[in-house]
Structures are given as C-alpha cells and as structure tokens.
C-alpha cells in the first residue's frame, strides 16, 4: 500500500469533477466499433483516462495490480460487477468463489465509485443502443493488470498485462 499520493476519495473527486466537464467529454471521439480513449492529467501523479464505450463493450474481469482508483460515468450508463472478497494476489491459477460475493452496480449521470488496491471487477456498457463515456483515475499509475476469466463460481487467472503491452 502506497500511502503517499492521492487517496481513493481524492481520485473519486477528480473523476466526478472531470465527468462534469461537458466540453472535455464532448471532445472524445466515439467509434461504434470499439472503445476510444484520451489520456488525462490526473491529480498528484495519478494515471487518468477518458474512455468511450460503444454498446455491448466491456473490460472483462481484472484487477489493478495493487493500485487504488475511481471512475465515474459522464454519459450513458455503465454496469460494474465486482467481488466483495479480497482474493489472494499470488500463487493461484483458479479459485472457487464463495456464494454471495458478487455485487453489481450501475453508474450514470456523473455518479462514480472509488475502489481499493485489491478490487476485482468488470465494467461494461449493457445498453443495446447508447454509447457510454467515463473518467478513470489510478494511483499509483497502473504497474500491471491481472486478467481473469469467469465460469460460474470459478475465477481463472488468464494473463498479467504490463504497461509496455498497452501501447
Ligand atoms: Fe478496472
């Protein structure tokens, strides 16, 4: 845990403030075929992004490599599915989740959520017809992301992505 730098609530304040910047939100190019993004200057050295989500697109299950963060919906609606348990971070390939660990929330109209360094979730635009736009911030800047697949109660670690692969 990195106690220096912006807190999760600082990041939430930033993403909510930025999501209310109509001119910035309107500047994001939207592509019906895939996600679009603009890198933003996050507060205190954080990593921040403006992301456009066509209908039906999403992230898949992932974590944030130990970074904390926040995101807010600037347009449309995003659905977040998350786990209400802290997973062991290392040393497993598949994990059977207990019952009652799944959480779902929907974010629209500038609403956001902050998350801690062990948060595992997937985010998607469930709308059949409307784009969504959101603002995200992470601190420390993402060192890696673990990607998971999910089959019923079984979570499987699929890959570990590092920033040099994201260019
Ligand atoms: Fe995420």
């Amino acid at each position: 845990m990195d106690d220096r730098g912006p807190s999760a609530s600082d990041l939430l304040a930033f993403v909510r403030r930025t999501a209310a910047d109509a001119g910035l939100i309107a500047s994001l190019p939207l592509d019906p075929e895939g996600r679009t993004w603009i890198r933003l200057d996050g507060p205190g050295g954080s990593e921040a992004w403006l992301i456009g989500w066509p209908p039906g697109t999403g992230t898949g299950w992932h974590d944030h490599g130990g970074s904390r963060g926040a995101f807010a919906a600037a347009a449309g609606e995003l659905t977040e599915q998350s786990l209400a348990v802290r997973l062991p971070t290392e040393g497993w390939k598949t994990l059977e989740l207990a019952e009652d660990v799944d959480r779902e929330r929907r974010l629209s109209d500038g609403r956001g959520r902050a998350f801690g360094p062990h948060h595992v979730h997937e985010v998607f635009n469930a709308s059949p017809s409307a784009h969504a736009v959101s603002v995200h911030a992470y601190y420390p800047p993402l060192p890696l992301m673990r990607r998971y697949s999910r089959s019923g109660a079984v979570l499987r670690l699929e890959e570990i992505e590092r920033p040099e692969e994201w260019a």
Side-chain angles (χ1 to χ4, degrees), residues 67-87:
S67 292
R68 56 190 178 264
F71 63 102
E77 180 182 80
L78 288 175
T79 301
E80 181 200 43
Q81 290 183 332
S82 61
L83 302 177
V85 288
R86 178 171 169 174
L87 305 181

Side-chain angles (χ1 to χ4, degrees), residues 25-37:
I25 300 310
S27 75
L28 177 68
L30 300 181
D31 178 352
E33 300 298 320
R35 279 190 282 163
T36 49
W37 51 87

